[in-house]
């Protein structure tokens, strides 16, 4: 199909549902996009304009959106990938279309500390755009759908990365917007690249049983048709096999093969009125035996995304269970197209006003305040994917909560003040514990008291919804700042000790600004407060700081060993021996800063040499360190000087030992016992196994002198299976 034929198909599709659309503007948008993308190619080798045309076709065919959305879909990459600007699009088309295009454009890439931070920021931007105009995300999802349909042209790494992002973000968003058809296709296409073997197995098995399955579907459909026609109920019945990802998830969750999964089939009955829905339900339960506990009434209690339908699972005459969904035609349109269905009923192509139904978008934005990236993304997935449980207030108002919710979630869903002053809860008029799991139809009453002390920290573990956890965090953040700082500092220092780092390294005036930037806090006190109220974890703080301290250390080492050729050697005037610094006497220098090189970690008793660094005093190396080898000293003779151990050495010095041994059970236990018997302080232990059955263990320890070091190495040599004990250098 030529580009022109593709455009004509788009126009024909739009005319079929919106004959009043502004086709002059749509053509102008197509021609402008074509000019902007001229010369650009896709990975498949096709002209780039094929992609915007395909996205616009999805927006029209699948979602039936207004003229502005079609134009924005055609233009969605011009601001990102061509010289065109927001001002150009606003002037040539309209400010609304320019805003839609900018919202849909690939989100700006910023350097973040972690992948989670980047993903959270991109999600946050997307949600802000959604809360302003829901059409942004409808076009964005269509863009992702076409990219997934053409994913075979990407590298295997890109295929997996994009498929995982689609499964975790775009499919759940489509679900929450009620766009079931698109959600299913996104899930199936993602599965194809995430587990190609599993996907292919399901497709092959379904193909091999196609005739058998088709016969069952036709036979059951005819049974339903005949009975409903007898009762003169206007209807349409059709059956389908569940989509591959739905089958895959069932196989994975229940650890079953395809032959062991029986409810592969689903039937849908479409009728004219709500009354007919309930009449049909009675007929279906009369023809087939209903399976207890598998009936759901989403007409009486609709889902937050507007979905309404009756669901029941019944046992067919062949002994095969299958699901039947019963809904009106209008409910069906909303079930298939979700929020997009509302545009079909709008005049003049304006979609304003429907965003109010999607209050969950704003709630997600509010709930991320004070949460770290990983917690936010986890909350988002829970809020997007979770099945809902519908419970009632004593007045009969419905509250929908994530499955597994507790009275704490219910209390905070009513209001922050209700949650903060809660002292007890009743479910169906019986007092229950705070961790009681709520079920559909429960009537929940929260007991409050003005003298309540507020939430407990344990509530964070009990609450299921991100809304409740966010409000609990906010309470602790506001009410218990001093307590949070004290608790956070204690947790941080404990974790720091566990990682073998000292508080001195963190508070060092040179290191601190870099470390605070790494954890994204202005002061240590702010970070302690965040750890204290649960907005950040001590483990994450120490993990990021450890990496930054390692980077700073490497940078210093590189500076030590690099000298510019044009710089003359630094002369050191000969002077008599001076007093020691940290147990080190530097020949000819008094009161100079001394630091021990991390590449070889010298201890008293080792032969040592000194190197004058730029701005960091004298760095002390072991004489056998490769970084102090004679060939490395060439051209820098003036910066190497004689240093010796004094009589007033420190109580202990950090150093490192590498142990190579045959891998076996209880090896680490034996090494720990040996170190304990020699009263050795261990600040770090790292172990890895090799494919050929060996283990390499690095010990970071503190020792008084070389004699203690020798005793420790001898003790380690005596352990069964130990082949080599060395001190690394360089």
């Amino acid at each position: 199909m030529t580009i022109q034929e593709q455009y004509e198909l788009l126009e024909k599709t739009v005319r079929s549902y919106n004959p009043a659309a502004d086709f002059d503007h749509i053509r102008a948008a197509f021609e402008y996009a074509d000019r902007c993308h001229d010369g650009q190619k896709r990975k498949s080798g096709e002209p780039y304009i094929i992609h915007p045309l395909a996205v616009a076709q999805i927006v029209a065919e699948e979602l039936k959106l207004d003229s502005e959305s079609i134009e924005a879909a055609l233009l969605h990459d011009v601001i990102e990938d061509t010289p065109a600007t927001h001002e150009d699009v606003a002037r040539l088309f309209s400010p609304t279309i320019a805003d839609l295009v900018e919202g849909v454009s690939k989100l700006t890439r910023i350097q973040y500390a972690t992948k989670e931070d980047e993903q959270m920021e991109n999600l946050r931007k997307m949600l802000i755009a959604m809360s302003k105009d829901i059409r942004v995300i409808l076009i964005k999802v269509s863009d992702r759908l076409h990219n997934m349909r053409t994913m075979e042209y990407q590298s295997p790494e890109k295929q997996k990365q994009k498929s995982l992002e689609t499964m975790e973000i775009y499919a759940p968003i489509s679900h929450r917007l009620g766009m079931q058809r698109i959600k299913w296709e996104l899930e199936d296409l993602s599965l194809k690249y995430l587990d190609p073997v599993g996907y292919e197995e399901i497709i092959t098995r379904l193909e091999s049983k196609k005739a058998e399955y088709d016969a069952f579907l036709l036979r059951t459909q005819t049974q339903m048709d005949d009975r409903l026609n007898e009762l003169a109920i206007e209807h349409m019945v059709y059956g389908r096999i569940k989509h591959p990802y739905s089958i895959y998830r069932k196989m994975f969750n229940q650890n079953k093969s395809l032959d062991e999964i029986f409810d592969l089939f689903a039937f849908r009955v479409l009728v004219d009125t709500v009354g007919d829905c309930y009449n049909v339900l009675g007929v279906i339960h009369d023809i087939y035996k209903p399976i207890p506990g598998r009936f759901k009434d989403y007409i009486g209690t609709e889902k937050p995304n507007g979905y309404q339908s009756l669901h029941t699972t019944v046992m067919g005459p062949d002994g095969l269970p299958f699901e039947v969904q019963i809904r009106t035609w209008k409910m069906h349109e909303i079930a298939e197209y979700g929020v997009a269905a509302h545009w079909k009923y709008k005049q003049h192509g304006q979609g304003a006003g429907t965003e109010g139904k999607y209050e969950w978008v704003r709630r997600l934005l509010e709930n991320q305040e004070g949460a770290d990236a990983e917690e936010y993304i986890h909350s988002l997935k829970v809020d997007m994917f979770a099945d809902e449980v519908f419970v009632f207030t004593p007045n009969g108002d419905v509250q929908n909560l994530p499955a597994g919710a507790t009275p704490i979630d219910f209390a905070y869903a009513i209001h922050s003040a209700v949650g903060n002053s809660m002292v007890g809860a009743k479910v169906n008029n019986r007092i229950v514990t705070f961790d009681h799991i709520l079920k559909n139809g429960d009537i929940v009453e929260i007991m409050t008291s003005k003298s309540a002390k507020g939430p407990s920290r344990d509530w964070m573990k009990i609450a299921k919804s991100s809304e409740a956890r966010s409000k609990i965090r906010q309470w602790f953040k506001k009410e218990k700042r001093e307590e949070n700082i004290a608790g956070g500092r204690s947790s941080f220092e404990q974790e720091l000790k566990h990682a073998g780092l000292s508080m001195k390294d963190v508070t060092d005036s040179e290191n601190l600004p870099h470390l605070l930037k790494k954890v994204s806090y202005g002061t240590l006190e702010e970070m302690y407060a965040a750890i204290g109220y649960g907005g950040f974890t001590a483990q994450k703080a120490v993990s990021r700081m450890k990496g930054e301290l390692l980077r700073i250390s490497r940078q210093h080492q590189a500076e030590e060993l690099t000298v510019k050729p044009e710089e003359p050697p630094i002369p050191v005037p000969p002077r008599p021996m001076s007093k020691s610094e940290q147990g080190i006497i530097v020949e000819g220098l008094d009161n100079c800063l001394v630091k021990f090189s991390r590449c070889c970690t010298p201890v008293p008793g080792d032969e040592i040499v000194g190197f004058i660094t730029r701005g960091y005093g004298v760095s002390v190396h072991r004489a056998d360190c490769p970084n102090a080898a004679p060939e490395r000293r060439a051209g820098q003779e003036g910066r190497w000087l004689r240093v010796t151990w004094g009589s007033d050495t420190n109580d202990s010095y950090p150093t490192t030992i590498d142990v190579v041994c045959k891998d076996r059970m209880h090896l680490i236990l034996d090494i720990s016992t040996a170190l304990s018997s020699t009263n050795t302080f261990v600040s770090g232990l790292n172990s890895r196994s090799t494919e050929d059955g060996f283990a390499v263990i690095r010990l970071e320890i503190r020792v008084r002198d070389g004699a203690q070091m020798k005793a420790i190495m001898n003790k380690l040599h005596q352990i069964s299976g130990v082949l080599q004990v060395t001190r690394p250098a360089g």
Side-chain angles (χ1 to χ4, degrees):
M1 193 185 292
T2 66
I3 292 171
Q4 192 56 39
E5 285 171 340
Q6 256 189 277
Y7 174 74
E8 285 165 10
L9 174 63
L10 173 64
E11 268 201 11
K12 184 180 174 186
T13 307
V14 176
R15 278 184 206 282
S16 68
Y17 70 87
N18 187 9
D22 191 336
F23 291 100
D24 289 341
H25 259 145
I26 291 173
R27 177 169 282 281
F30 161 63
E31 289 172 352
Y32 181 72
D34 196 17
R35 285 197 304 277
C36 287
H37 291 297
D38 186 37
Q40 294 180 354
K41 300 279 187 188
R42 298 201 81 214
K43 293 273 187 187
S44 61
E46 297 173 314
Y48 194 87
I49 190 63
I50 294 285
H51 171 63
L53 265 172
V55 173
Q57 184 67 31
I58 292 169
V59 167
E61 192 174 323
E62 300 281 345
L63 303 178
K64 298 179 169 53
L65 293 192
D66 57 324
S67 299
E68 288 182 333
S69 302
I70 305 296
E71 292 168 54
L74 288 165
L75 298 165
H76 80 269
D77 275 336
V78 296
I79 292 177
E80 171 77 13
D81 294 337
T82 78
T85 64
H86 181 279
E87 290 73 24
D88 295 336
V89 177
R91 179 170 41 80
L92 291 168
F93 299 96
S94 77
T96 302
I97 289 171
D99 287 346
L100 285 173
V101 171
E102 192 164 62
V104 176
S105 288
K106 293 186 181 80
L107 300 160
T108 310
R109 292 278 170 185
I110 304 172
Q111 278 304 113
Y112 293 101
T114 66
K115 187 72 183 166
E116 287 85 4
D117 285 339
E118 182 182 332
Q119 200 178 10
M120 183 193 78
E121 184 59 21
N122 288 343
L123 277 170
R124 195 177 64 78
K125 285 183 180 177
M126 194 187 296
L127 290 167
I128 288 169
M130 284 167 69
S131 66
K132 288 177 183 169
D133 190 333
I134 209 85
R135 290 175 292 179
V136 167
I137 199 62
L138 299 179
I139 302 166
K140 185 79 183 168
V141 166
S142 303
D143 175 37
R144 177 51 62 103
L145 179 56
H146 183 248
N147 282 332
M148 289 304 298
R149 285 176 178 174
T150 54
M151 195 51 69
E152 70 264 28
Y153 299 108
Q154 298 289 349
S155 67
E157 186 186 349
K158 193 77 172 242
Q159 286 172 347
K160 278 199 161 45
Q161 179 200 333
K162 290 293 179 190
S163 298
L164 187 61
E165 189 177 65
T166 300
M167 193 72 91
E168 292 191 334
I169 307 301
Y170 289 93
I173 284 178
S174 303
H175 169 67
R176 281 305 297 261
L177 292 174
M179 302 187 299
Q180 298 309 313
R181 279 170 44 154
I182 286 181
K183 175 208 169 199
W184 291 338
E185 189 175 351
L186 287 172
E187 286 175 340
D188 288 349
L189 289 168
S190 300
L191 178 62
K192 182 178 174 182
Y193 297 106
L194 291 172
D195 186 356
V197 175
Y199 175 82
E200 201 52 50
E201 183 189 336
I202 290 170
I203 295 295
T204 306
R205 294 296 300 278
L206 290 177
E207 281 295 321
S208 68
K209 290 180 173 266
K210 189 175 187 305
E212 181 188 328
Y213 290 162
D214 285 350
F216 172 79
L217 289 169
L218 182 62
R219 193 164 61 247
T220 309
Q221 185 177 322
T222 305
Q223 276 180 330
M224 290 186 201
D225 261 331
D226 290 347
R227 181 66 70 88
L228 292 171
N229 285 334
E230 281 175 29
L231 297 167
I233 297 175
E234 285 291 321
H235 71 282
M236 187 180 109
V237 178
Y238 63 94
R240 62 177 176 82
I241 296 170
K242 292 192 174 178
H243 66 112
Y245 178 68
S246 177
I247 297 168
Y248 178 88
R249 199 166 63 180
K250 195 155 276 197
M251 289 169 67
F252 182 79
N253 288 346
Q254 299 174 9
N255 197 23
K256 289 181 176 178
S257 68
L258 190 61
D259 291 330
E260 294 174 296
I261 293 175
F262 296 115
D263 54 340
L264 288 175
F265 310 99
F267 290 85
R268 199 163 282 151
V269 185
L270 305 180
V271 292
D272 294 331
T273 68
V274 171
D276 285 344
C277 291
Y278 289 98
N279 288 338
V280 169
L281 178 68
V283 173
I284 298 298
H285 283 180
D286 188 38
I287 307 174
Y288 309 108
K289 186 177 180 182
I291 295 174
R294 297 296 298 273
F295 168 66
K296 287 175 183 169
D297 183 350
Y298 293 120
I299 293 178
T301 314
E302 71 175 60
K303 287 192 172 188
N305 58 17
Y307 178 88
Q308 288 184 289
S309 190
L310 297 177
H311 290 197
T312 185
T313 304
V314 296
M315 188 66 75
D318 306 17
L320 289 176
F322 57 88
E323 186 180 51
V324 182
Q325 298 173 357
I326 308 160
R327 58 178 76 139
T328 65
W329 287 95
K330 187 171 179 184
M331 289 173 191
H332 176 63
E333 187 122 13
I334 290 168
E336 292 287 284
Y337 305 110
V339 63
H342 295 284
W343 265 266
K344 191 174 178 184
Y345 306 107
K346 296 286 166 195
Q347 296 300 312
H348 313 301
Q350 294 304 309
T354 53
E355 291 89 337
K357 284 180 69 66
Y358 296 89
E359 189 58 33
W360 59 273
V361 174
R362 287 177 184 78
R363 283 209 307 274
L364 282 176
L365 283 168
E366 288 161 8
N367 292 343
Q368 65 100 10
E369 189 184 340
D372 74 332
E374 205 170 283
E375 159 77 9
Y376 178 49
I377 290 168
H378 172 72
S379 299
L380 184 78
K381 288 173 191 169
V382 167
D383 284 349
M384 292 278 194
F385 257 144
D387 289 330
E388 285 92 10
V389 57
F390 296 92
V391 294
F392 297 90
T393 67
N395 297 332
D397 296 325
V398 179
Q399 283 289 341
N400 68 290
L401 301 165
T406 65
I408 294 172
D409 297 293
F410 180 85
Y412 281 101
I414 301 292
H415 197 277
S416 302
V418 176
N420 292 338
S421 58
M422 177 168 73
V423 292
K426 286 182 182 179
V427 173
N428 304 326
N429 224 22
R430 290 177 57 197
I431 292 176
V432 295
T433 56
F434 284 172
D435 60 357
H436 176 85
I437 304 296
L438 300 177
K439 298 183 183 65
N440 274 321
D442 280 348
I443 299 168
V444 187
E445 182 185 348
I446 301 299
M447 294 177 280
T448 60
S449 167
K450 287 182 180 177
S451 59
K453 293 179 180 176
S456 151
R457 292 190 186 275
D458 291 337
W459 290 12
M460 289 282 285
K461 298 170 191 165
I462 299 169
K464 181 75 176 174
S465 68
S466 59
E467 183 178 9
R469 285 200 301 274
S470 172
K471 287 177 177 178
I472 295 166
R473 265 199 309 270
Q474 292 308 315
W475 187 87
F476 277 107
K477 185 177 182 179
K478 185 179 174 185
E479 303 290 332
K480 302 276 185 177
R481 182 167 170 78
E482 294 307 315
E483 185 184 310
N484 290 337
I485 290 171
R489 184 184 179 108
S490 171
S491 300
F492 177 73
E493 288 179 346
Q494 199 172 346
E495 192 61 36
L496 208 62
K497 189 175 178 183
H498 183 69
L501 299 173
S502 75
M503 199 67 188
K504 191 177 171 186
D505 289 334
V506 174
T507 54
D508 182 283
S509 58
E510 184 196 336
N511 296 344
L512 188 58
H514 300 292
L515 300 179
L516 289 172
K517 190 175 178 184
K518 202 70 181 169
V519 293
S520 307
Y521 287 98
T523 64
L524 280 176
E525 199 170 82
E526 283 177 27
M527 185 188 77
Y528 295 151
I531 294 170
Y533 74 75
F536 196 47
T537 66
Q539 289 93 331
K540 274 201 179 73
V542 171
S543 170
R544 291 181 191 178
M545 286 186 175
K546 190 171 184 177
E548 184 63 12
L549 285 168
L550 190 63
R551 185 195 67 76
I552 292 169
S553 166
R554 284 176 181 155
Q555 186 182 331
H556 287 175
Q557 283 183 26
E559 286 169 355
E560 285 176 17
L561 301 170
T562 305
V563 61
K564 293 177 183 174
E566 66 272 13
E567 291 182 1
I570 298 170
V572 180
R575 284 170 58 188
M577 290 286 213
S578 309
K579 65 177 185 179
S580 74
E581 292 286 338
Q582 295 197 62
I584 295 290
I585 297 171
V586 181
E587 187 180 274
L589 290 179
D590 267 337
N591 299 323
C592 69
L593 180 66
V594 169
K595 66 168 191 164
F596 295 97
S597 169
R598 294 193 184 185
C599 55
C600 55
T601 57
V603 299
D606 290 333
E607 268 194 65
I608 50 176
V609 291
F611 180 78
I612 299 175
T613 65
R614 298 187 186 281
Y616 301 107
V618 173
S619 177
V620 178
H621 291 260
R622 288 194 344 236
D624 61 349
C625 175
N627 290 328
E631 59 271 19
R632 295 294 289 269
R633 302 189 198 184
Q636 305 180 54
E637 289 82 356
R639 296 179 68 181
W640 290 93
L641 36 131
R642 186 165 172 259
V643 294
T644 55
W645 295 100
S647 56
D648 53 347
T649 53
N650 296 346
D651 291 339
S652 68
Y653 291 84
T655 190
T656 307
I657 293 178
D658 282 347
V659 185
V660 179
C661 30
K662 277 280 187 187
D663 208 355
R664 62 175 173 80
M665 290 282 284
H666 308 305
L667 179 61
I668 297 293
L669 180 63
D670 290 348
I671 287 174
S672 300
T673 305
L675 293 169
S676 178
S677 69
T678 54
N679 292 322
T680 306
F681 179 86
V682 181
S683 55
L685 186 152
N686 186 285
S687 172
R688 64 182 174 84
S689 296
T690 63
E691 290 179 2
D692 49 358
F694 290 92
V696 180
I697 298 165
R698 172 156 286 193
L699 301 169
E700 292 172 13
I701 60 174
R702 298 189 72 92
V703 297
R704 288 184 309 280
D705 51 31
Q708 187 187 3
M709 168 71 80
K710 193 173 181 183
I712 293 166
M713 293 175 75
N714 286 340
K715 195 78 175 174
L716 292 171
H717 262 302
Q718 293 166 19
I719 295 170
S720 170
V722 170
L723 307 173
Q724 191 180 54
V725 181
T726 56
R727 290 178 65 193

